[in-house]
Amino acid sequence: MKKFKKIIPLALAVTLTCASLPMIANADSSKVVTIGTNLSDDQKKSMYEYFGTSKDSVETIEVTNQDERKYMEGIASEAQIGHKTYSCSYVEPTTSGGIQVKVANLTFVTSSMIASTLTTSGVENCNVVAASPIEVSGTGALTGIMMAYETASGEKLDEGQKEAATEELVTTGELADDIGQDKATDLMNDVKENVIANDISDEDKIADTVDEKAKDLDVNLTDEQKDKIVSLMEKISQYDYDVKSLQQTLNNLEGKSEGFFTKLVNNIKGFFGGNNSNSGGIISQTKDDILGSDVVSNSTLDDIKDKVQNADTEGWWDKVVNFFKGLTGSDSDSSDSNSSDDSSSN
């Protein structure tokens, strides 16, 4: 009976807590699709189908190679830029939850790379799907995403920040070729967060931060790699960022509990409300089979789940249990359970 009594206040606490939280997806926001101009008509049609929408339902922007060159020339190689544009994106501004990204058929960049570089561009909250009907590097995808975000949100991003974001994406991708995608992303995120949170702009102090974070990750950088990172962080340090918003996205990418449990609570809200369609927004609407059985895909939402479930410090179920204990503020569970056990044994 005592166990049953404890369920009632717990359910009420969950309901009240969830009711007070904002939904991650913003139902009133615009959604914008960008289409690579060099795709065939059939390929363009398949991308709308993959995104789970239609040309009549969303605003569309065609992105050209010239659009990509505006930010990538002088940063990326000619081979990376290419002469044709195939990358597409689907962007949904949100009111909270940080930046969540899914990519498909992009071989040079990952969902985590795009999410992190979007924080550099000045974006704080949005859901993004970046994809192509054929495998491409994806270096130009960021250009289309930023164009779509500006159109969908009505917010003009700073040109300098957009250039810095593009440089960060290319630098991270090149670094990933040598040390791996995860370590490259973690290194750039750790350095960026430290530089912004501690307002570091001095070149020598940034260099010290790079050395420290590289040592923490057991990464050996060449002088050229270190100089590129330092130069990039000097540019980023010139701009004002909402530190809490940036940290939320970076925490999500690292699989830290704050980001994961925000989503857990929103899922609970969907359970009580009978509608969980807003979990992941447009990311949850994608149809992978449209791009074929061998599509290469990854998302920040999957990364969060994997990292939390594989955490060494605390089991996934323990995290869930402790989270709900925190909701009730109860420290008396053990004594209650002992008394229950005693009574049941009589």
PDB file of all heavy atoms in Angstrom, residues 39 50 60 89 99 104 131 186 192 196 243 262 269 275-276 286 299 310 312 319:
ATOM      1  N   LEU A  39      20.669  19.184 -58.378  1.00  0.00           N
ATOM      2  CA  LEU A  39      19.925  17.928 -58.313  1.00  0.00           C
ATOM      3  C   LEU A  39      18.925  17.851 -59.464  1.00  0.00           C
ATOM      4  O   LEU A  39      18.409  18.869 -59.924  1.00  0.00           O
ATOM      5  CB  LEU A  39      19.171  17.820 -56.983  1.00  0.00           C
ATOM      6  CG  LEU A  39      20.000  17.716 -55.702  1.00  0.00           C
ATOM      7  CD1 LEU A  39      19.072  17.657 -54.499  1.00  0.00           C
ATOM      8  CD2 LEU A  39      20.907  16.495 -55.741  1.00  0.00           C
ATOM      9  N   TYR A  50      12.002  12.437 -48.290  1.00  0.00           N
ATOM     10  CA  TYR A  50      12.874  12.049 -47.175  1.00  0.00           C
ATOM     11  C   TYR A  50      12.633  12.937 -45.957  1.00  0.00           C
ATOM     12  O   TYR A  50      12.571  12.449 -44.824  1.00  0.00           O
ATOM     13  CB  TYR A  50      14.343  12.136 -47.597  1.00  0.00           C
ATOM     14  CG  TYR A  50      15.299  12.075 -46.427  1.00  0.00           C
ATOM     15  CD1 TYR A  50      15.514  10.877 -45.745  1.00  0.00           C
ATOM     16  CD2 TYR A  50      15.971  13.219 -45.986  1.00  0.00           C
ATOM     17  CE1 TYR A  50      16.369  10.821 -44.657  1.00  0.00           C
ATOM     18  CE2 TYR A  50      16.817  13.167 -44.903  1.00  0.00           C
ATOM     19  CZ  TYR A  50      17.020  11.964 -44.236  1.00  0.00           C
ATOM     20  OH  TYR A  50      17.868  11.925 -43.151  1.00  0.00           O
ATOM     21  N   THR A  60      10.928  27.115 -49.905  1.00  0.00           N
ATOM     22  CA  THR A  60      12.123  26.467 -50.438  1.00  0.00           C
ATOM     23  C   THR A  60      13.120  27.497 -50.946  1.00  0.00           C
ATOM     24  O   THR A  60      12.740  28.481 -51.596  1.00  0.00           O
ATOM     25  CB  THR A  60      11.768  25.506 -51.586  1.00  0.00           C
ATOM     26  OG1 THR A  60      10.889  24.490 -51.106  1.00  0.00           O
ATOM     27  CG2 THR A  60      13.011  24.854 -52.160  1.00  0.00           C
ATOM     28  N   SER A  89      18.849  20.769 -47.004  1.00  0.00           N
ATOM     29  CA  SER A  89      18.598  20.851 -45.566  1.00  0.00           C
ATOM     30  C   SER A  89      17.135  21.175 -45.297  1.00  0.00           C
ATOM     31  O   SER A  89      16.417  21.677 -46.167  1.00  0.00           O
ATOM     32  CB  SER A  89      19.495  21.912 -44.918  1.00  0.00           C
ATOM     33  OG  SER A  89      19.126  23.224 -45.321  1.00  0.00           O
ATOM     34  N   ILE A  99      20.479  22.879 -30.068  1.00  0.00           N
ATOM     35  CA  ILE A  99      20.512  22.559 -31.495  1.00  0.00           C
ATOM     36  C   ILE A  99      20.607  21.053 -31.665  1.00  0.00           C
ATOM     37  O   ILE A  99      21.498  20.408 -31.106  1.00  0.00           O
ATOM     38  CB  ILE A  99      21.713  23.234 -32.184  1.00  0.00           C
ATOM     39  CG1 ILE A  99      21.622  24.755 -32.041  1.00  0.00           C
ATOM     40  CG2 ILE A  99      21.784  22.838 -33.660  1.00  0.00           C
ATOM     41  CD1 ILE A  99      22.884  25.487 -32.459  1.00  0.00           C
ATOM     42  N   ALA A 104      22.466  12.783 -43.382  1.00  0.00           N
ATOM     43  CA  ALA A 104      22.394  11.555 -44.177  1.00  0.00           C
ATOM     44  C   ALA A 104      23.178  11.735 -45.461  1.00  0.00           C
ATOM     45  O   ALA A 104      23.020  12.753 -46.152  1.00  0.00           O
ATOM     46  CB  ALA A 104      20.944  11.189 -44.485  1.00  0.00           C
ATOM     47  N   ALA A 131      21.067  16.613 -45.682  1.00  0.00           N
ATOM     48  CA  ALA A 131      21.166  15.348 -46.405  1.00  0.00           C
ATOM     49  C   ALA A 131      21.362  15.563 -47.894  1.00  0.00           C
ATOM     50  O   ALA A 131      21.217  16.678 -48.414  1.00  0.00           O
ATOM     51  CB  ALA A 131      19.903  14.509 -46.169  1.00  0.00           C
ATOM     52  N   ASP A 186      35.218  16.789 -30.030  1.00  0.00           N
ATOM     53  CA  ASP A 186      35.360  17.044 -28.595  1.00  0.00           C
ATOM     54  C   ASP A 186      36.412  18.120 -28.321  1.00  0.00           C
ATOM     55  O   ASP A 186      36.214  18.993 -27.470  1.00  0.00           O
ATOM     56  CB  ASP A 186      35.746  15.758 -27.851  1.00  0.00           C
ATOM     57  CG  ASP A 186      34.596  14.760 -27.776  1.00  0.00           C
ATOM     58  OD1 ASP A 186      33.435  15.166 -28.032  1.00  0.00           O
ATOM     59  OD2 ASP A 186      34.857  13.584 -27.474  1.00  0.00           O
ATOM     60  N   LYS A 192      36.475  25.755 -27.494  1.00  0.00           N
ATOM     61  CA  LYS A 192      35.529  26.847 -27.751  1.00  0.00           C
ATOM     62  C   LYS A 192      34.749  27.219 -26.494  1.00  0.00           C
ATOM     63  O   LYS A 192      34.601  28.409 -26.176  1.00  0.00           O
ATOM     64  CB  LYS A 192      34.569  26.454 -28.874  1.00  0.00           C
ATOM     65  CG  LYS A 192      33.546  27.544 -29.204  1.00  0.00           C
ATOM     66  CD  LYS A 192      32.797  27.244 -30.494  1.00  0.00           C
ATOM     67  CE  LYS A 192      31.929  26.036 -30.396  1.00  0.00           C
ATOM     68  NZ  LYS A 192      31.102  25.836 -31.621  1.00  0.00           N
ATOM     69  N   ILE A 196      35.003  30.927 -24.706  1.00  0.00           N
ATOM     70  CA  ILE A 196      33.824  31.787 -24.598  1.00  0.00           C
ATOM     71  C   ILE A 196      33.408  31.982 -23.144  1.00  0.00           C
ATOM     72  O   ILE A 196      33.141  33.106 -22.703  1.00  0.00           O
ATOM     73  CB  ILE A 196      32.661  31.204 -25.426  1.00  0.00           C
ATOM     74  CG1 ILE A 196      33.007  31.273 -26.920  1.00  0.00           C
ATOM     75  CG2 ILE A 196      31.361  31.957 -25.149  1.00  0.00           C
ATOM     76  CD1 ILE A 196      31.994  30.583 -27.818  1.00  0.00           C
ATOM     77  N   VAL A 243      26.237  32.183 -23.160  1.00  0.00           N
ATOM     78  CA  VAL A 243      27.041  31.052 -22.697  1.00  0.00           C
ATOM     79  C   VAL A 243      26.170  29.855 -22.319  1.00  0.00           C
ATOM     80  O   VAL A 243      26.471  28.713 -22.653  1.00  0.00           O
ATOM     81  CB  VAL A 243      27.927  31.467 -21.500  1.00  0.00           C
ATOM     82  CG1 VAL A 243      28.693  30.256 -20.959  1.00  0.00           C
ATOM     83  CG2 VAL A 243      28.902  32.555 -21.923  1.00  0.00           C
ATOM     84  N   THR A 262      16.386  16.573 -20.129  1.00  0.00           N
ATOM     85  CA  THR A 262      15.424  17.536 -20.668  1.00  0.00           C
ATOM     86  C   THR A 262      14.537  16.831 -21.675  1.00  0.00           C
ATOM     87  O   THR A 262      13.317  17.006 -21.694  1.00  0.00           O
ATOM     88  CB  THR A 262      16.157  18.708 -21.355  1.00  0.00           C
ATOM     89  OG1 THR A 262      16.902  19.416 -20.367  1.00  0.00           O
ATOM     90  CG2 THR A 262      15.170  19.669 -22.002  1.00  0.00           C
ATOM     91  N   LYS A 269       6.122  14.227 -20.836  1.00  0.00           N
ATOM     92  CA  LYS A 269       5.041  15.161 -21.106  1.00  0.00           C
ATOM     93  C   LYS A 269       4.196  14.667 -22.268  1.00  0.00           C
ATOM     94  O   LYS A 269       2.962  14.728 -22.240  1.00  0.00           O
ATOM     95  CB  LYS A 269       5.603  16.550 -21.421  1.00  0.00           C
ATOM     96  CG  LYS A 269       4.520  17.578 -21.732  1.00  0.00           C
ATOM     97  CD  LYS A 269       5.124  18.925 -21.989  1.00  0.00           C
ATOM     98  CE  LYS A 269       4.039  19.944 -22.298  1.00  0.00           C
ATOM     99  NZ  LYS A 269       4.562  21.269 -22.572  1.00  0.00           N
ATOM    100  N   ASN A 275       0.663  12.921 -26.825  1.00  0.00           N
ATOM    101  CA  ASN A 275       1.264  13.335 -28.087  1.00  0.00           C
ATOM    102  C   ASN A 275       2.737  13.574 -27.881  1.00  0.00           C
ATOM    103  O   ASN A 275       3.111  14.490 -27.176  1.00  0.00           O
ATOM    104  CB  ASN A 275       0.595  14.604 -28.623  1.00  0.00           C
ATOM    105  CG  ASN A 275       1.200  15.059 -29.947  1.00  0.00           C
ATOM    106  OD1 ASN A 275       2.017  14.349 -30.531  1.00  0.00           O
ATOM    107  ND2 ASN A 275       0.801  16.222 -30.405  1.00  0.00           N
ATOM    108  N   ASN A 276       3.569  12.747 -28.500  1.00  0.00           N
ATOM    109  CA  ASN A 276       5.011  12.904 -28.371  1.00  0.00           C
ATOM    110  C   ASN A 276       5.657  13.243 -29.708  1.00  0.00           C
ATOM    111  O   ASN A 276       6.824  13.017 -29.933  1.00  0.00           O
ATOM    112  CB  ASN A 276       5.628  11.615 -27.805  1.00  0.00           C
ATOM    113  CG  ASN A 276       7.061  11.824 -27.366  1.00  0.00           C
ATOM    114  OD1 ASN A 276       7.422  12.902 -26.938  1.00  0.00           O
ATOM    115  ND2 ASN A 276       7.865  10.779 -27.471  1.00  0.00           N
ATOM    116  N   THR A 286      11.814  12.131 -40.616  1.00  0.00           N
ATOM    117  CA  THR A 286      12.577  11.704 -41.789  1.00  0.00           C
ATOM    118  C   THR A 286      12.281  10.251 -42.144  1.00  0.00           C
ATOM    119  O   THR A 286      11.972   9.433 -41.279  1.00  0.00           O
ATOM    120  CB  THR A 286      14.095  11.859 -41.550  1.00  0.00           C
ATOM    121  OG1 THR A 286      14.456  11.171 -40.350  1.00  0.00           O
ATOM    122  CG2 THR A 286      14.468  13.315 -41.435  1.00  0.00           C
ATOM    123  N   SER A 299      22.724  11.152 -36.014  1.00  0.00           N
ATOM    124  CA  SER A 299      22.050  12.311 -35.444  1.00  0.00           C
ATOM    125  C   SER A 299      22.534  12.576 -34.034  1.00  0.00           C
ATOM    126  O   SER A 299      23.017  11.668 -33.343  1.00  0.00           O
ATOM    127  CB  SER A 299      20.526  12.118 -35.435  1.00  0.00           C
ATOM    128  OG  SER A 299      20.129  11.323 -34.334  1.00  0.00           O
ATOM    129  N   ASN A 310      25.974   4.347 -22.258  1.00  0.00           N
ATOM    130  CA  ASN A 310      27.284   3.733 -22.106  1.00  0.00           C
ATOM    131  C   ASN A 310      28.150   4.428 -21.069  1.00  0.00           C
ATOM    132  O   ASN A 310      29.345   4.156 -20.970  1.00  0.00           O
ATOM    133  CB  ASN A 310      28.030   3.736 -23.464  1.00  0.00           C
ATOM    134  CG  ASN A 310      27.333   2.862 -24.483  1.00  0.00           C
ATOM    135  OD1 ASN A 310      26.756   1.847 -24.140  1.00  0.00           O
ATOM    136  ND2 ASN A 310      27.390   3.266 -25.749  1.00  0.00           N
ATOM    137  N   ASP A 312      30.189   5.369 -17.893  1.00  0.00           N
ATOM    138  CA  ASP A 312      30.853   4.501 -16.926  1.00  0.00           C
ATOM    139  C   ASP A 312      30.488   4.852 -15.493  1.00  0.00           C
ATOM    140  O   ASP A 312      30.514   4.003 -14.611  1.00  0.00           O
ATOM    141  CB  ASP A 312      32.376   4.610 -17.083  1.00  0.00           C
ATOM    142  CG  ASP A 312      32.847   4.083 -18.429  1.00  0.00           C
ATOM    143  OD1 ASP A 312      32.192   3.160 -18.950  1.00  0.00           O
ATOM    144  OD2 ASP A 312      33.851   4.583 -18.947  1.00  0.00           O
ATOM    145  N   LYS A 319      20.321   6.491 -13.432  1.00  0.00           N
ATOM    146  CA  LYS A 319      20.087   7.901 -13.748  1.00  0.00           C
ATOM    147  C   LYS A 319      18.590   8.216 -13.728  1.00  0.00           C
ATOM    148  O   LYS A 319      18.167   9.245 -13.212  1.00  0.00           O
ATOM    149  CB  LYS A 319      20.669   8.253 -15.130  1.00  0.00           C
ATOM    150  CG  LYS A 319      22.184   8.310 -15.171  1.00  0.00           C
ATOM    151  CD  LYS A 319      22.642   8.585 -16.599  1.00  0.00           C
ATOM    152  CE  LYS A 319      24.163   8.636 -16.679  1.00  0.00           C
ATOM    153  NZ  LYS A 319      24.703   9.860 -16.112  1.00  0.00           N
TER     154      LYS A 319
END
